[in-house]
Amino acid sequence: MAKSIAINAGSSSLKFTLFEMPEEKEIASGIIERIGLKDSIFTTKFNGEKYKVVEDIDDHEIGIQKVLDKLIELNVISSYDEITGVGHRVVAGGEYFKDSVLIDDDVLEKIESLSELAPLHNPANATGIRAFRKILPDITSIASFDTSFHTTMPKENYLYSIPMEYYEDFAARKYGAHGTSHKYVSEKAAKMIGKPLSETKIITCHLGNGASITAVKGGESIDTSMGFTPLAGVTMGTRSGDIDASLLPYLMEKLGLTDINDMINILNKKSGLLGLSGVSSDMRDVEEAAAEGNENAQTALDIFYNRVQKYIGQYIAILNGVDAIVFTAGIGENSKETREIIIDGMDWFGMKIDPEKNDVRGEERVISTDDSKIKVLLIPTDEEVMIARDIERLRKSN
Ligand code: AMP
């Protein structure tokens, strides 16, 4: 029996999920937050229980050690050797990685060299990889890229309308993100609507703190809303999504900024729901504030719905039809208002939500009416199990 661990390392966090494979049984999971800060929070979930420890965890390596020791303490594993594979989520794989890969020095170097494409994520992902390699150097170690699923996009969708040599010389193009999630839910969706994946047209809406929409044709991504980096596309928790690039020098002058990175930082960290509402980046807080009459919070919600609708509309056009629209991730799985308002506003297309079926959180089901021409689906995403599957696949091929 194999035990595989899926790792998602952020700059100050580390999420893990341990699976028994090939059964795909989730045995334990957890998260360390505030790594490198005072009072790091380490939470483990096992057997329906939650174990929380607050202590200083200085870096990812110490964090991983804590995770493994906790798994031993809880009798989830009896020794480190029981873990046969590890899979790291990596945000940017550029044009190098069309699939998950076994990690070696060259792969790690490439992941680091791609940091320009995901400055908030790739360096942190690499830190997680390096820390794991130190502690468990001999197990199967793979990287699973958020961009791989989108490497099937045709040129007309991944190229920007800028001089061609910028793509040829500098690889300046759209890469997208959340690919593992879009892949997982689109495969599930095909099963739910009872059509062979190769014949489906599906639009997947991954609406979490980061959000992206993807047009999936025959099981392949043909376009996605995120761009060169995860900053583009729809309104997100703290990210602006699409804006006119000319706004940048204009605002920089008004704000007295001289470093473009300060401006980009505002677009990445202080915009989106947070920037518009002035309340929070968290959808629950924004919904609550809007319900209490906060006008800017309501405007933030309206803009969020509007941007998602615009992408769905675009993708219906380029797919020339659609079988199903899928909602997933934190907001997509939990906010019935979001799903209802987005779909109700596009009923002309022949999509109709069933308020009773939609009155649910985080459960896989069809939420459109029986007579809805386009099916609307709620599918909880599971990026971790996709990573665990890839660990098994690459472990066996090794
Ligand atoms: P994720 O990045 O996928 O973890 O999603 C995080 C987002 O999901 C945050 O904006 C949360 O506010 C949102 N979310 C989680 N639960 C709910 C809920 N019950 N209602 C509305 N939004 C939710």
Side-chain angles (χ1 to χ4, degrees), residues 58-105:
D58 291 341
D59 58 37
H60 286 73
E61 201 179 317
I62 298 172
I64 289 163
Q65 204 95 50
K66 295 261 178 209
V67 168
L68 297 173
D69 290 343
K70 190 78 190 170
L71 293 175
I72 290 179
E73 183 194 316
L74 293 171
N75 275 327
V76 184
I77 53 173
S78 51
S79 71
Y80 287 10
D81 308 342
E82 255 183 71
I83 297 178
T84 42
V86 57
H88 297 269
R89 176 195 180 198
V90 178
V91 168
E95 290 194 319
Y96 294 123
F97 301 108
K98 299 192 186 322
D99 192 2
S100 302
V101 287
L102 290 163
I103 297 172
D104 57 20
D105 291 342

Side-chain angles (χ1 to χ4, degrees), residues 206-210 273 281-284 287 329-331 334-335 361:
H206 178 110
L207 308 179
N209 201 18
L273 293 176
S281 62
D282 192 296
M283 185 52 120
R284 284 165 291 202
E287 284 180 346
I331 299 170
N334 292 299
S335 172
R361 282 174 50 184

Side-chain angles (χ1 to χ4, degrees), residues 152-173:
T152 48
M153 283 190 288
K155 261 193 185 147
E156 64 269 27
N157 289 335
Y158 72 67
L159 284 182
Y160 293 111
S161 308
I162 55 176
M164 190 60 90
E165 57 267 29
Y166 300 163
Y167 166 64
E168 291 164 350
D169 297 344
F170 312 126
R173 52 161 284 180

